[in-house]
Amino acid sequence: MNKGLTWYIVLFATAVLVQVLFMDAIQFSGLVNPYFYVIFILLLPLYVPRYLQLLLGFVLGITIDVFSNTPGIHASAAVFMSFLRPFFINSTNVDEKDRGKIPSLMNMGTGWFMKYSGVLILSHHIFLFYIEIFTFSNFINTLTRSVLSALFTFVLIVISQFLIFRK
Amino acid sequence: MRGLLNFLIKYHVFFLFLFLEMFSLTLIVRYNNFHRVSFLNSSNVVTAGIYDKTQSVADYFSLKHINETLSEENARLRQQLQSLLLTDIENASDYVIGVDTVEAYSAKVIRNSVNKQYNYLTLNKGAGDGIEPDMGVVGADGVVGVILDVSKNYSTVLSVLNGRWAINAKHEKTNHFGPLQWDGFDPSFAYLEEIPYHVKIKKGDKIVTSGYSSIFPEGISIGEVEEIEHSSGDTFQEVKVQLSVDFGGLFYVNVLKNKNKEERIELEKSTRNE
């Protein structure tokens, strides 16, 4: 199941709108801020040129930044995540026949997808929360907030797989 | 030269990564220093337009709450008006001073956040309605923030819940003042610092704006003292303040224009230069 350019443009717009209109409104005692928009980076085809992944990550991040008045914060975190992604993919053995596919939960299997999205979401969130607060004081508090938020984003993204790719 | 070129081509991904990260970090640091990148914030037409549309849909679901807060404010203002009318005008000079120097614009909040480290609001009024950067923003219950950027029809507000800013606040009873700043955790509390130890502060005391900056007039409510923290070895006490504004439930705010601001800034500048 392959998707074209249009599908990715729609995914980009949806990811951004869902993030700024719904996710940013979620407030659990200031601890949990899910960053659902990373789904766009997760669902890019497995073997896009790496420079393109970085650029797309940057464009996605800066778009979120413009909406939330945080120039550079989301951009740097999204670029960081896009940079890590190929390393994770290369470290796992992806079947020859799966290479052209979208790395969705259905295409890649539950175990692979959970590891893949878990690792990348967690690294994105930790990077983001430390960049945002710009200090290592309150180290534990920031870590707690990033891990809880990452967990929440992870659950949302796994659920979204069933909504986006339903048969 | 050829070797360098080959090296760059071989590691182009890594260099692109470094370049993009450097660029982002520059943006962050520049914004920290209040060098404003105006097209990169939510007062621009596209982003503010989207917030405006969605907020107007969301408003329908909170009309009841908005009505209640507005009618409460009405009642309070009517009460104040009554007590003013009852006061003997000749002895009331305290009330009259400064009345003419402040002008208020009403604006709607179309975007707000309380759960980030640096929170901002977006308002549906901009330069076209007379809003300018550095004007104070107050809600029905007290201080909300200060105007940061304006476009033609929208403006962004630096919220009190933003560690990049401190309000000049004072203890109402004793007039001792200091900076009041949010610590990034709970949106209902902020800290008033630099209050010397000899000042007696009790729980429930009012904290108001000092009027020492030209952004807010004196005496606008900020909050009430929740507890006083004495850390040993410190020359000042730290006062935890319960903010009077519920930042999660803001719908309408007033933007204050200080008519004598230029004159005041001019005067203060010339004093400093002498």
Side-chain angles (χ1 to χ4, degrees):
Chain A
M1 188 169 62
N2 250 316
K3 306 280 188 184
L5 183 63
T6 333
W7 190 79
Y8 275 103
I9 293 174
V10 173
L11 179 66
F12 184 93
T14 320
V16 169
L17 287 179
V18 166
Q19 179 62 43
V20 299
L21 298 182
F22 300 110
M23 295 302 152
D24 284 354
I26 293 179
Q27 289 154 14
F28 293 130
S29 69
L31 271 177
V32 176
N33 306 305
Y35 291 108
F36 178 78
Y37 69 91
V38 297
I39 193 172
F40 176 77
I41 300 174
L42 290 175
L43 291 184
L44 284 174
L46 277 177
Y47 291 91
V48 221
R50 293 178 60 177
Y51 73 90
L52 190 61
Q53 300 194 26
L54 288 178
L55 289 176
L56 286 172
F58 181 75
V59 172
L60 177 68
I62 204 84
T63 312
I64 299 289
D65 280 334
V66 168
F67 274 98
S68 50
N69 293 314
T70 53
I73 292 178
H74 289 286
S76 61
V79 167
F80 179 69
M81 181 180 166
S82 316
F83 183 70
L84 288 186
R85 196 179 88 120
F87 291 106
F88 181 86
I89 294 173
N90 290 337
S91 74
T92 60
N93 294 319
V94 180
D95 272 358
E96 198 67 47
K97 63 176 172 50
D98 287 337
R99 296 207 160 195
K101 288 182 179 169
I102 295 176
S104 67
L105 189 135
M106 288 73 185
N107 283 340
M108 307 303 295
T110 315
W112 189 90
F113 184 81
M114 290 211 168
K115 245 188 288 170
Y116 164 73
S117 53
V119 168
L120 290 180
I121 291 171
L122 191 63
S123 46
H124 169 271
H125 280 50
I126 291 178
F127 188 95
L128 180 83
F129 279 80
Y130 280 105
I131 278 284
E132 186 189 29
I133 198 161
F134 226 74
T135 162
F136 283 113
S137 60
N138 297 319
F139 185 84
I140 298 297
N141 179 283
T142 311
L143 194 67
T144 321
R145 293 196 310 138
S146 43
V147 171
L148 281 179
S149 305
L151 198 69
F152 203 81
T153 309
F154 174 74
V155 171
L156 287 172
I157 285 183
V158 169
I159 294 172
S160 75
Q161 296 297 300
F162 296 95
L163 300 173
I164 302 173
F165 299 102
R166 79 187 142 197
K167 294 277 156 63
Chain B
M1 191 61 206
R2 215 185 140 81
L4 177 68
L5 215 61
N6 280 337
F7 178 74
L8 283 179
I9 292 171
K10 192 173 173 201
Y11 294 105
H12 70 279
V13 171
F14 184 68
F15 283 116
L16 182 64
F17 170 68
L18 274 190
F19 171 76
L20 290 175
E21 287 294 353
M22 290 307 226
F23 184 75
S24 313
L25 289 180
T26 320
L27 281 181
I28 298 174
V29 175
R30 279 170 58 100
Y31 208 70
N32 272 339
N33 295 340
F34 282 80
H35 289 277
R36 292 157 196 169
V37 196
S38 279
F39 64 96
L40 280 184
N41 65 45
S42 67
S43 69
N44 77 46
V45 178
V46 180
T47 52
I50 291 176
Y51 286 139
D52 204 1
K53 290 283 176 309
T54 51
Q55 185 60 43
S56 58
V57 175
D59 276 355
Y60 282 106
F61 300 100
S62 14
L63 276 179
K64 186 160 176 278
H65 177 75
I66 296 175
N67 270 338
E68 277 165 9
T69 39
L70 287 180
S71 71
E72 270 167 30
E73 192 184 1
N74 252 346
R76 196 167 53 230
L77 291 177
R78 187 160 297 142
Q79 201 178 356
Q80 281 176 4
L81 181 68
Q82 280 304 327
S83 61
L84 268 185
L85 287 176
L86 291 176
T87 327
D88 183 359
I89 283 296
E90 270 163 38
N91 297 330
S93 55
D94 277 355
Y95 292 96
V96 183
I97 290 173
V99 161
D100 259 0
T101 61
V102 176
E103 206 174 320
Y105 303 92
S106 164
K108 199 171 105 186
V109 179
I110 56 175
R111 160 82 174 178
N112 186 11
S113 72
V114 299
N115 58 351
K116 312 282 171 190
Q117 283 300 309
Y118 305 105
N119 293 297
Y120 299 89
L121 297 88
T122 308
L123 307 181
N124 72 340
K125 293 267 171 75
D129 310 283
I131 312 281
E132 291 161 21
D134 294 334
M135 284 184 175
V137 180
V138 298
D141 301 314
V143 172
V144 171
V146 58
I147 300 279
L148 186 63
D149 267 312
V150 289
S151 64
K152 188 164 171 289
N153 294 311
Y154 302 100
S155 51
T156 48
V157 178
L158 192 58
S159 164
V160 170
L161 306 181
N162 190 316
R164 294 199 176 120
W165 182 55
I167 322 171
N168 204 323
K170 71 173 184 186
H171 181 228
E172 198 184 33
K173 275 189 208 151
T174 60
N175 278 335
H176 274 277
F177 63 94
L180 179 124
Q181 200 167 26
W182 189 52
D183 63 346
F185 296 109
D186 192 333
S188 12
F189 298 101
Y191 289 86
L192 177 62
E193 276 147 28
E194 295 180 19
I195 299 291
Y197 266 122
H198 67 265
V199 182
K200 296 268 177 295
I201 293 182
K202 283 199 299 291
K203 192 183 166 182
D205 282 358
K206 276 216 163 70
I207 302 296
V208 296
T209 54
S210 68
Y212 293 162
S213 81
S214 50
I215 297 174
F216 294 108
E218 190 189 343
I220 295 182
S221 169
I222 296 175
E224 280 180 3
V225 174
E226 173 74 15
E227 67 182 281
I228 298 107
E229 286 167 21
H230 298 271
S231 44
S232 60
D234 228 346
T235 40
F236 296 113
Q237 43 191 340
E238 199 181 52
V239 183
K240 189 177 183 186
V241 178
Q242 162 116 48
L243 297 171
S244 50
V245 173
D246 171 18
F247 282 86
L250 277 177
F251 293 96
Y252 287 90
V253 291
N254 289 325
V255 182
L256 303 182
K257 178 179 184 168
N258 184 345
K259 286 187 195 163
N260 297 340
K261 187 173 179 175
E262 275 81 27
E263 186 184 332
R264 176 171 171 170
I265 290 174
E266 205 63 23
L267 176 66
E268 286 174 354
K269 207 192 277 170
S270 70
T271 311
R272 225 173 293 142
N273 287 343
E274 267 162 24

